[in-house]
Amino acid sequence: MEQFCQDKTYNIAIVGAGPAGVYCALNLALKFKEANFDKYKISIFDKSQALRTILPTGGGRCNITNAIFDIKEFASNYPRGEKFLYSLFSSHFNYDSIEFFNKIGIKTYIQSDGRIFPKSNSAKDVKDKMLSALKKYKNIKLINKEIFNKNELENFDRIVLCAGSRNTTKLIQSFKQPMEEFKRALCALKVENFNFPKGISIKALDGDFVTTSDGISGPLAFKISSLNVDLPFPYKIEINLFNAEELEKLIQLNTKKTIGILISKLIPKSFAQVHVSEFNKKASEISKERLKQLSKLELNILGNSSLGEIVHKGGVCLDSVDKNCKSKICDNLWFCGEILNIDGFCGGFNLQNCWSSAYVVANDVVRSIINK
Ligand SMILES: Cc1cc2nc3c(=O)[nH]c(=O)nc-3n(C[C@H](O)[C@H](O)[C@H](O)COP(=O)(O)OP(=O)(O)OC[C@H]3O[C@@H](n4cnc5c(N)ncnc54)[C@H](O)[C@@H]3O)c2cc1C
């Protein structure tokens, strides 16, 4: 077993300067400072520009997290990793991340749908503030270098892998860490014979979606793709657009109006014109059964669209790490962020996985050094 040595400088490698890697480095430095310990060096390796991957988040506004303050309810938004996250969230949850961001000058606000954004509405501002916080620590070095395998990290005392889910399979496998194949999990969907005009936003009972040139996109489409990630294409889905009884009530109050006019009170007219073949017919002449049919949208999903690709399912198997995301296979190795087999729906859930797992890893790495 390794002995704690007063004079030794501990070398920590972080592979990936994405949201998880930078948050982990900042928390490592904070924890060491709290413990009055400065015999450490953190090298953050990135093959590209640090925090480049945060720039497109939230459409450039960076949906930092979500305002669900109950851990179980929050975790129910992850098709993969739900139970594993209970423990991570009990150590570091959304309000802890908000406090952390406040401290480095990123004020946040809650949007009406519960999503949390920086007040600046700028992912670039989040990137800049996180990187300036990093520059304050002389023990942290950003290195522009791609790491291909375990051998390149031999001289490090502690290793944190947080290189995300794009082209990282070989790197993970070089550590012999069990993993699940990466698959696109939050995508827009291609739909068979889709003839709605593109760009219509629909607030359906099941969630919000938007029509594209070949199908649907937006939070509901992403959720459908995530939940059905292992289903072979094509598969059928049914979206509840509105409550059929609401339409019936509208008809009872407006017996002379056409179905088209009334249904356009519940869904956009340009969408209804395609969805309702009997658009100009008197509403009172439409059967109850047909009204029920009109309240739903049946789609045959042909595949993932090339538009929009947000997160991947797959990565390091959760049963191959302990509750601090430390490898059970390889000594002195931790994982955080999307490289773990954890993925959530749209709404700030994927970044919260980065913040919580990175914090827990930072805490455990520090503990592994100074509590010897
Ligand atoms: C368009 C888009 C919008 C999104 N919007 C949101 C949102 O608003 N809210 C939300 O919660 N989530 C959002 N996400 C998801 C979120 O961005 C990711 O979950 C998050 O970036 C994962 O962070 P990470 O640090 O784990 O990995 P990454 O962000 O992928 O960062 C990994 C880093 O590692 C580097 N790297 C990779 N391999 C190597 C290697 N071998 N050697 C050295 N460096 C390497 C990469 O260059 C990269 O900088 C969005 C994703 C996309 C694509």
Side-chain angles (χ1 to χ4, degrees):
M1 196 180 176
E2 181 193 11
Q3 292 296 306
F4 176 65
C5 174
Q6 283 287 354
D7 301 322
K8 177 180 160 80
T9 293
Y10 285 80
N11 280 308
I12 303 166
I14 296 183
V15 183
V22 174
Y23 201 83
C24 183
L26 287 170
N27 278 286
L28 276 167
L30 274 173
K31 296 274 161 204
F32 280 131
K33 198 173 167 191
E34 275 167 28
N36 234 344
F37 182 87
D38 69 352
K39 291 202 173 304
Y40 71 93
K41 273 193 186 139
I42 301 172
S43 305
I44 317 179
F45 296 98
D46 202 296
K47 62 181 178 185
S48 178
Q49 208 191 42
L51 286 182
R52 173 189 52 90
T53 55
I54 211 166
L55 292 175
T57 60
R61 289 167 60 214
C62 187
N63 180 191
I64 275 185
T65 184
N66 197 289
I68 296 173
F69 293 103
D70 177 77
I71 286 180
K72 284 198 171 167
E73 194 188 337
F74 199 106
S76 70
N77 286 283
Y78 296 80
R80 265 78 43 191
E82 177 177 355
K83 296 236 162 73
F84 187 83
L85 285 162
Y86 292 169
S87 153
L88 299 189
F89 289 162
S90 61
S91 298
H92 190 86
F93 197 28
N94 51 2
Y95 42 82
D96 300 304
S97 310
I98 293 165
E99 194 185 330
F100 174 88
F101 284 117
N102 265 307
K103 280 190 185 147
I104 62 165
I106 302 166
K107 304 272 181 254
T108 55
Y109 74 95
I110 305 175
Q111 195 172 266
S112 57
D113 60 1
R115 292 169 193 229
I116 299 184
F117 290 91
K119 272 198 175 152
S120 61
N121 274 322
S122 161
K124 183 173 179 307
D125 182 54
V126 177
K127 174 184 176 221
D128 292 346
K129 297 247 164 68
M130 286 180 83
L131 291 182
S132 356
L134 210 59
K135 280 188 190 135
K136 288 191 185 137
Y137 295 100
K138 62 175 177 26
N139 311 34
I140 303 180
K141 223 184 186 183
L142 267 171
I143 302 161
N144 188 214
K145 182 177 189 299
E146 178 162 4
I147 301 294
F148 293 95
N149 61 54
K150 179 183 176 180
N151 300 342
E152 293 166 79
L153 302 168
E154 254 172 17
N155 296 330
F156 287 90
D157 302 293
R158 304 288 184 273
I159 299 167
V160 181
L161 287 193
C162 41
S165 57
R166 288 158 183 90
N167 303 320
T168 44
T169 301
K170 283 191 179 150
L171 177 64
I172 300 170
Q173 286 173 343
S174 76
F175 287 87
K176 300 205 164 33
Q177 190 73 27
M179 66 169 289
E180 280 207 25
E181 185 197 350
F182 287 115
K183 276 188 189 169
R184 300 166 72 194
L186 286 183
C187 308
L189 297 167
K190 258 192 221 166
V191 174
E192 188 176 39
N193 298 328
F194 196 75
N195 50 3
F196 292 92
K198 75 170 185 185
I200 311 173
S201 296
I202 292 118
K203 289 200 170 305
L205 268 190
D206 290 344
D208 299 354
F209 68 97
V210 61
T211 57
T212 65
S213 54
D214 62 359
I216 58 168
S217 184
L220 180 61
F222 295 149
K223 189 170 183 173
I224 293 166
S225 81
S226 176
L227 290 172
N228 297 310
V229 70
D230 290 320
L231 268 190
F233 295 112
Y235 61 81
K236 288 197 186 331
I237 56 156
E238 194 178 80
I239 296 175
N240 291 301
L241 292 171
F242 54 81
N243 194 331
E245 282 155 21
E246 213 178 314
L247 181 59
E248 280 175 37
K249 272 187 205 150
L250 275 175
I251 297 172
Q252 281 162 13
L253 295 171
N254 303 276
T255 47
K256 290 193 179 131
K257 293 211 167 136
T258 63
I259 182 72
I261 288 182
L262 295 180
I263 215 168
S264 299
K265 292 184 190 296
L266 303 172
I267 48 175
K269 189 176 170 191
S270 50
F271 186 84
Q273 277 167 332
V274 179
H275 181 55
V276 187
S277 52
E278 54 279 73
F279 192 82
N280 291 315
K281 205 169 170 181
K282 242 177 152 180
S284 52
E285 290 170 11
I286 313 272
S287 71
K288 267 196 175 183
E289 200 181 315
R290 175 67 181 142
L291 293 181
K292 240 196 184 136
Q293 250 178 19
L294 289 175
S295 71
K296 298 177 194 302
L297 178 69
E298 278 183 20
L299 302 173
N300 193 25
I301 308 297
L302 299 179
N304 290 325
S305 162
S306 54
L307 303 161
E309 172 193 346
I310 295 198
V311 88
H312 289 97
K313 163 202 182 218
V316 171
C317 293
L318 299 179
D319 57 7
S320 70
V321 292
D322 69 11
K323 66 179 173 46
N324 295 311
C325 306
K326 183 173 193 282
S327 172
K328 291 179 184 169
I329 313 293
C330 206
D331 275 349
N332 298 319
L333 175 68
W334 284 259
F335 301 91
C336 56
E338 209 180 300
I339 201 165
L340 289 162
N341 188 13
I342 296 176
D343 60 276
F345 296 136
C346 274
F349 301 105
N350 289 298
L351 283 175
Q352 187 59 53
N353 166 41
C354 293
W355 316 139
S356 296
S357 56
Y359 174 89
V360 166
V361 165
N363 221 4
D364 202 42
V365 169
V366 170
R367 209 166 28 216
S368 78
I369 292 172
I370 61 180
N371 281 2
K372 281 195 163 291

